[in-house]
């Protein structure tokens, strides 16, 4: 990363620590009069502020067309006001984003993962080019959080993240029960297979039910409410020490979220005063915490990809095998959607993520000694937080877990020699054998499901390929097909892909197969009828085909024509690395 000249750590001006270590390059003396003229025009009120006040960039992933992001401009304004009250200059800007749920199952999803890189690029670019002394980022939807942290790690100036917060559960008036975004996606499968029905009113039309679910699944601002990717990443980042205690479980619309925005100004000042830098917080030790949190809460498989990318950006040696090691020792204790019954907003009511941390620190599973953006250790931050209520239904006791070990399994074998990531909550068993049915691209599988070509009476491994980082391009998230399968209650199938699954996906699913089909990985030469075995006990995924036969098939394989040769996705395809290394674009 580009090194910038700046004032040394501990520099003192007029008897006080100089916090404008970077911006002073532009604002001291008169070396850059045009820069100062522009800054006065942008809002610097007087010469004292020009010479002394540190500049804090406030990067929100704000845009209007997605509930996860729609409120982030307002949160940013609250942060800005609080930063200004601390005698600092605050500059709001925003990055781009896309909605994972809106793009799910359509071509728009190919753009989703690359937004993580664009968000990181945006934050690195603005912080660096504008000589900001510190950065507060306010993300909402899935890729936003890792994108912000990767931006922090690249510019490595004092930084703090405020998670936009979880959505509240929706409520179906017809079904008379809480619903959420996954209900809407799974209702599609039930609708197609004619099983969408109201148990209390069998005569209710399936169209009325679907409309009711669409209208009420998302009641307002906030990121998807289960332990899907956004909440997974927010909880992991809180365990890394880069956000305020409680940030990941405080709902988007609660007054407590506004209080957090006001409080972050003190934290960012502390980070500047104590020179607490992102790369000091992003260590192997803190990533261990992030993985522990992810396993205990049953987080999304995307967490593996994003934590690898965040660690890779910060220069921390984190590997797929670290996830397997942590998964073997951490019990899965959270009864949260998608596999469980409750939502992040419910967890908030009984203490939230800090109370879960308290449980894990007391059991010496989480390292309470790591430093945080508060200038205190993680354990000190949560000292006064309430303990989880005894006997609650949301977070089980450690001696009575849902599963004794974590739900993430790293599988390797002749189908995925470079690794793959499975989410096994135990409900679906630990081993699955079936005949392969191969689909190039998710839409082919969706078409087969829609046409009723996936039978109920045969064990099948549905393989979706050419959906990896390069092949997609963009490693699109697949929820539509898996949601249809869950909605239709097709329990005789497993899903395997070189793409990704949504955090809302569940069932027997294996994603992130490396090497991907587009670069000639063995997944490219699986044929319909090959027997595929997924064995989570021995961490294997194999097709029943000899090595010689795989080699022979690969000799005959020809890479299909590239889908795009111009534009942002073509650039992404040219730069992106494999999923086992986080699908990063700056790892050359
Ligand atoms: Fe944004 Fe689910 S679509 S978190």
């Amino acid at each position: 990363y580009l090194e910038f000249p700046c004032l040394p750590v501990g520099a003192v001006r007029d008897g006080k620590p100089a916090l404008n270590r970077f911006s002073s390059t532009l604002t001291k003396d008169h070396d850059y009069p045009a820069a100062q003229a522009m800054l006065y025009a942008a809002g610097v009120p007087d010469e004292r502020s020009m010479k002394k006040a540190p500049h804090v960039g406030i990067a929100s992933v704000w845009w209007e067309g997605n509930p996860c992001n729609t409120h982030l401009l307002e949160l940013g304004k609250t942060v800005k006001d609080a930063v200004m009250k601390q005698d600092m200059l605050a500059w709001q800007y925003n990055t781009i984003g896309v909605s994972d749920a809106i793009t799910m199952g359509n071509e728009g999803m190919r753009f989703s993962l690359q937004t993580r890189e664009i968000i990181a690029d945006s934050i690195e670019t603005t912080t660096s080019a504008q000589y900001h002394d510190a950065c507060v980022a306010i993300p909402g939807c899935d890729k936003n959080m890792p994108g912000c942290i990767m931006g922090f790690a690249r510019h490595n100036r004092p930084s703090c993240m405020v998670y936009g917060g979880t959505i509240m559960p929706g409520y179906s008036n017809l079904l008379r029960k809480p619903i959420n975004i996954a209900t809407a996606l799974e209702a599609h499968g039930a609708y197609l297979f004619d099983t969408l029905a109201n148990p209390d009113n069998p005569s209710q039309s399936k169209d009325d039910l679907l409309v009711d679910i669409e209208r009420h699944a998302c009641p307002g601002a906030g990121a998807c409410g289960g332990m899907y990717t956004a909440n997974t990443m927010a909880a992991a980042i809180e365990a890394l020490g880069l956000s305020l205690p409680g940030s990941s479980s405080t709902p988007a619309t609660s007054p407590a979220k506004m209080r957090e925005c006001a409080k972050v100004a003190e934290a960012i000042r502390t980070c500047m005063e104590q020179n607490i830098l992102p790369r000091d917080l992003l260590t192997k030790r803190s990533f261990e915490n992030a993985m522990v949190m992810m396993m205990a809460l049953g987080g999304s498989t995307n967490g593996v990809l994003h934590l690898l990318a965040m660690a890779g950006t910060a220069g921390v040696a984190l590997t797929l095998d670290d996830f397997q090691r942590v998964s073997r020792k951490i019990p899965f204790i959270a009864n949260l959607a998608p596999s469980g019954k409750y939502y992040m907003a419910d967890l908030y009511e009984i203490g939230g993520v800090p109370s879960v941390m308290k449980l894990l620190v007391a059991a010496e599973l989480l390292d309470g000694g790591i430093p945080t953006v508060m200038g205190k250790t993680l354990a000190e931050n949560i000292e006064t937080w309430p303990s989880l209520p005894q006997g609650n239904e949301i977070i089980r006791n450690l001696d009575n877990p849902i599963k004794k070990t974590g739900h993430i399994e790293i599988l390797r074998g002749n189908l995925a020699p470079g690794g793959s990531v499975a989410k096994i909550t135990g409900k679906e068993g630990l081993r699955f054998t079936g005949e392969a049915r191969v689909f190039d691209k998710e839409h082919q599988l969706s078409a087969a499901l829609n046409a009723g070509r996936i039978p109920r009476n045969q064990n099948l491994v549905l393989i979706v390929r050419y959906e990896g980082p390069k092949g997609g391009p963009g490693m699109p998230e697949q929820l539509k097909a898996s949601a249809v399968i869950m909605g239709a209650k097709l329990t005789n199938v497993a899903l395997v892909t070189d793409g990704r699954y949504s955090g809302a996906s569940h069932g027997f699913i294996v994603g992130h197969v490396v090497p991907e089909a587009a670069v000639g990985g063995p997944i490219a030469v699986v044929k319909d009828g090959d027997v595929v075995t997924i064995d989570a006990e021995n961490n294997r995924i194999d097709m029943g085909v000899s090595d010689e036969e795989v080699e022979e098939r690969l000799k005959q394989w020809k890479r299909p024509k590239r889908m795009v040769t111009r534009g942002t996705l073509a650039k992404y395809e040219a730069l992106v690395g494999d999923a086992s290394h986080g699908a990063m674009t700056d790892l050359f």
Side-chain angles (χ1 to χ4, degrees), residues 42-350:
V44 176
D46 51 38
E47 199 179 351
R48 193 193 67 85
S49 302
M50 180 64 79
K51 299 299 169 198
K52 301 235 170 85
H55 291 233
V56 181
I58 299 168
S60 61
V61 189
W62 170 75
W63 60 287
E64 281 183 321
N66 190 32
C68 324
N69 300 75
T70 190
H71 59 306
L72 302 186
L73 190 63
E74 285 309 309
L75 297 191
K77 280 184 185 151
T78 308
V79 173
K80 178 181 165 114
D81 289 347
V83 167
M84 303 283 275
K85 281 190 193 136
Q86 291 274 336
D87 215 12
M88 301 188 278
L89 293 164
W91 304 112
Q92 268 189 283
Y93 61 97
N94 61 273
T95 78
I96 59 100
V98 303
S99 165
D100 276 59
I102 292 173
T103 57
M104 196 68 68
N106 58 58
E107 293 300 308
M109 179 45 82
R110 300 193 190 286
F111 292 85
S112 167
L113 184 58
Q114 68 145 355
T115 65
R116 186 188 77 189
E117 310 299 301
I118 298 174
I119 290 164
D121 291 349
S122 302
I123 291 175
E124 179 191 9
T125 300
T126 304
T127 308
S128 306
Q130 296 294 122
Y131 282 76
H132 288 168
D133 300 294
C135 181
V136 177
I138 311 167
C141 200
D142 294 7
K143 311 300 171 292
N144 299 183
M145 279 67 72
C148 291
I149 301 300
M150 288 160 77
F152 291 172
R154 291 190 200 169
H155 63 58
N156 202 33
R157 296 181 197 175
S159 300
C160 194
M161 187 187 98
V162 178
Y163 176 44
T166 183
I167 199 170
M168 300 303 285
Y171 190 84
S172 164
N173 294 327
L174 298 183
L175 294 170
R176 293 179 194 277
K177 64 174 191 180
I179 57 172
N180 75 107
I181 189 67
T183 320
L185 286 151
E186 291 179 8
H188 183 222
Y191 184 91
L192 290 174
F193 281 72
D194 270 333
T195 55
L196 185 63
N198 186 348
D200 296 333
N201 180 5
S203 63
Q204 193 123 55
S205 89
K206 64 178 187 174
D207 289 277
D208 285 351
L209 274 175
L210 195 53
V211 169
D212 183 65
I213 291 168
E214 286 168 352
R215 287 291 300 274
H216 299 112
C218 301
C224 296
M227 192 42 61
Y228 312 144
T229 306
N231 285 331
T232 300
M233 293 317 300
I237 289 163
E238 193 173 323
L240 282 165
L242 275 133
S243 57
L244 266 53
S247 181
S248 59
S249 42
T250 305
T253 51
S254 72
K257 186 52 77 181
M258 281 302 182
R259 288 198 290 276
E260 179 190 341
C261 289
K263 233 178 143 191
V264 76
E266 289 166 39
I268 202 70
R269 177 171 266 281
T270 300
C271 290
M272 280 191 277
E273 286 171 351
Q274 299 183 15
N275 198 36
I276 300 169
L277 303 179
R279 277 185 244 152
D280 299 336
L281 301 178
L282 296 166
T283 60
K284 190 75 192 267
R285 206 174 147 197
S286 66
F287 275 103
E288 192 83 9
N289 269 3
M291 291 186 286
V292 168
M293 189 49 85
M294 182 178 156
M295 302 305 168
L297 294 178
S300 151
T301 49
N302 283 307
V304 177
L305 192 77
H306 296 322
L307 289 177
L308 286 170
M310 287 154 56
T313 308
V316 174
L318 191 74
T319 68
L320 274 184
D321 296 327
D322 287 313
F323 288 86
Q324 186 63 63
R325 178 178 52 75
V326 174
S327 186
R328 283 205 180 111
K329 68 173 187 182
I330 300 299
F332 167 39
I333 53 173
N335 184 9
L336 294 169
S339 62
K341 192 170 151 198
Y342 294 95
Y343 300 98
M344 191 57 123
D346 300 314
L347 177 56
Y348 172 71
E349 293 296 334
I350 60 162

